[in-house]
Amino acid sequence: MNKRLLKMGLLGLGAGASFIVGNKFRRYGHVSIDASDPIVPSDKMIPTLFIHGYGGNRLSFGPMISRFERDGYGRKDMVIIVDIDGSLHVEGQLRSAQPFIQILFKNDIASVEKQSAWLYHIMQFLFGAYGIKQVDFVGHSMGGVSILRYLTECRDALDAPVVAHAISIGAPYNDHNVAQTTPQIEDLLLTDAGPIETTPLYRYFEKTMRHLPKNLQFLNIAGDLKDGNDGAVSVNSALSLRYLVQNQLNYHELIVSGRKAAHRLLHENQRVDDSIYTFLWKKHK
């Protein structure tokens, strides 16, 4: 084949691939619009909010949400972008019975404290604008920690929906650094009585667990690449939550293994997808 034509063909393939990837990236941050669908009454809606981890973006949960839509579990009705100052930019409108809401933080490396405060702002918006009474949460990595902090701080808020279910995926509940990946994975041994050593984050939760919603159901998912960690978070850190919540709520655990048990692939894992479906939506089928 003519080298010039081959080069042009390869360039064309590269440009085409870049267009497809770029188009997917944009799509994962937008809503699924079907204005012909009737709007379900707000008291019949149970939105599921997806919260990414440290440095996350629309690709963190975008593909998972698309798979859930494809499988008929619900629809992505809304994307809420939280600006650096905490203001909300809302795309879409809640219309369906099981709407998915993708949360994107412009400051994607903000602290757990800031993220949990922003979650409260989002919950106030859903309650005030739509009258939403109940929601579910799904969080990856630091997003799961931020969800837990929100739950311990805002149980009695009268201007926010009740959280019925929460799912954390690869969340570091007993790490000193819950954000950036550290050179060594923190792995504080668990015993029958709990962690042999606790971090400031864990001790904070020890003091606040009594504020969790009373009827909350919690699914805690950890990844294990056969080294006791998912490449970023240890199984011991993720499952240390067990000793914080014991006897306080309906708590479940799942450890997934295999190549897609890697931290950055946990939200691309079929077993994780299946467990979320079973925990949140199977009863409605």
Side-chain angles (χ1 to χ4, degrees):
M1 181 182 286
N2 182 288
K3 288 185 177 180
R4 183 170 177 271
L5 291 177
L6 175 61
K7 185 176 180 181
M8 290 175 65
L10 291 174
L11 286 172
L13 285 172
S18 297
F19 174 79
I20 292 170
V21 171
N23 194 41
K24 276 192 172 183
F25 183 79
R26 286 188 291 273
R27 177 167 57 83
Y28 285 143
H30 294 288
V31 299
S32 303
I33 300 172
D34 189 346
S36 65
D37 286 349
I39 298 177
V40 172
S42 62
D43 62 346
K44 304 295 184 184
M45 293 180 180
I46 304 178
T48 302
L49 283 66
F50 294 83
I51 295 93
H52 64 71
Y54 183 90
N57 56 39
R58 63 188 68 190
L59 290 179
S60 300
F61 274 119
M64 174 184 276
I65 294 172
S66 290
R67 293 192 300 273
F68 289 159
E69 287 190 292
R70 177 200 66 198
D71 293 337
Y73 302 158
R75 192 179 64 191
K76 186 177 179 181
D77 280 359
M78 184 174 287
V79 175
I80 299 178
I81 299 173
V82 183
D83 214 331
I84 293 173
D85 63 359
S87 58
L88 306 182
H89 303 275
V90 180
E91 178 186 343
Q93 178 186 14
L94 297 185
R95 305 176 65 92
S96 54
Q98 290 175 192
F100 302 146
I101 304 177
Q102 185 177 22
I103 309 301
L104 299 172
F105 300 118
K106 274 204 171 179
N107 180 3
D108 56 17
I109 59 173
S111 67
V112 169
E113 293 81 4
K114 278 191 175 180
Q115 285 191 0
S116 62
W118 292 338
L119 288 179
Y120 180 40
H121 191 187
I122 290 167
M123 296 285 270
Q124 287 178 306
F125 163 73
L126 294 175
F127 185 85
Y130 287 93
I132 297 298
K133 300 294 191 295
Q134 179 178 314
V135 303
D136 297 326
F137 275 138
V138 180
H140 175 248
S141 193
M142 183 173 143
V145 180
S146 297
I147 287 171
L148 186 62
R149 186 175 178 109
Y150 167 81
L151 290 169
T152 62
E153 291 178 336
C154 300
R155 181 186 73 175
D156 298 323
L158 299 178
D159 56 350
V162 171
V163 180
H165 303 83
I167 300 174
S168 65
I169 307 169
Y173 293 110
N174 195 27
D175 275 21
H176 288 87
N177 189 337
V178 300
Q180 293 172 298
T181 301
T182 53
Q184 285 190 317
I185 297 170
E186 294 192 66
D187 191 5
L188 301 175
L189 185 66
L190 289 181
T191 69
D192 290 341
I196 60 170
E197 181 185 341
T198 59
T199 63
L201 173 70
Y202 191 90
R203 292 193 291 275
Y204 167 81
F205 282 133
E206 282 183 313
K207 296 175 183 176
T208 58
M209 282 298 101
R210 66 184 184 277
H211 300 306
L212 282 175
K214 292 179 180 178
N215 296 318
L216 175 69
Q217 297 187 53
F218 204 108
L219 173 61
N220 186 16
I221 302 172
D224 187 358
L225 293 171
K226 298 306 180 185
D227 294 319
N229 62 72
D230 63 11
V233 175
S234 70
V235 173
N236 282 332
S237 182
L239 299 192
S240 66
L241 178 62
R242 175 195 310 159
Y243 302 93
L244 290 169
V245 303
Q246 57 188 348
N247 304 321
Q248 294 195 59
L249 50 81
N250 189 336
Y251 173 76
H252 307 267
E253 290 177 349
L254 173 67
I255 300 175
V256 297
S257 57
R259 182 180 64 84
K260 286 193 174 181
H263 191 70
R264 65 183 181 84
L265 294 176
L266 281 168
H267 38 56
E268 309 306 318
N269 186 302
Q270 185 60 51
R271 194 172 176 208
V272 172
D273 283 10
D274 292 343
S275 67
I276 292 173
Y277 161 69
T278 300
F279 192 67
L280 295 182
W281 308 306
K282 188 174 182 179
K283 59 184 176 292
H284 299 304
K285 289 291 184 180

